[in-house]
Coordinates of all heavy atoms in Angstrom, one line a residue:
C259 N 21.7 -24.4 -19.8 CA 22.0 -25.6 -20.5 C 22.7 -26.6 -19.5 O 23.7 -26.3 -18.9 CB 23.0 -25.3 -21.7 SG 23.5 -26.7 -22.6
C262 N 26.6 -27.8 -21.0 CA 27.8 -26.9 -20.8 C 27.7 -26.1 -19.5 O 28.6 -25.3 -19.2 CB 27.9 -26.0 -22.0 SG 26.5 -24.8 -22.2
G266 N 27.8 -22.2 -22.9 CA 27.6 -22.1 -24.4 C 28.2 -23.3 -25.1 O 29.4 -23.6 -24.9
C267 N 27.4 -24.1 -25.8 CA 27.9 -25.3 -26.5 C 27.0 -25.5 -27.7 O 25.9 -24.8 -27.9 CB 27.8 -26.5 -25.6 SG 26.2 -27.1 -25.2
C270 N 23.1 -25.9 -27.0 CA 22.3 -24.7 -26.7 C 22.6 -23.6 -27.7 O 22.3 -22.4 -27.5 CB 22.6 -24.3 -25.3 SG 24.3 -23.9 -24.9
Ligands
ZN401 ZN1 25.1 -25.6 -23.7

Side-chain angles (χ1 to χ4, degrees):
C259 177
C262 63
C267 69
C270 58

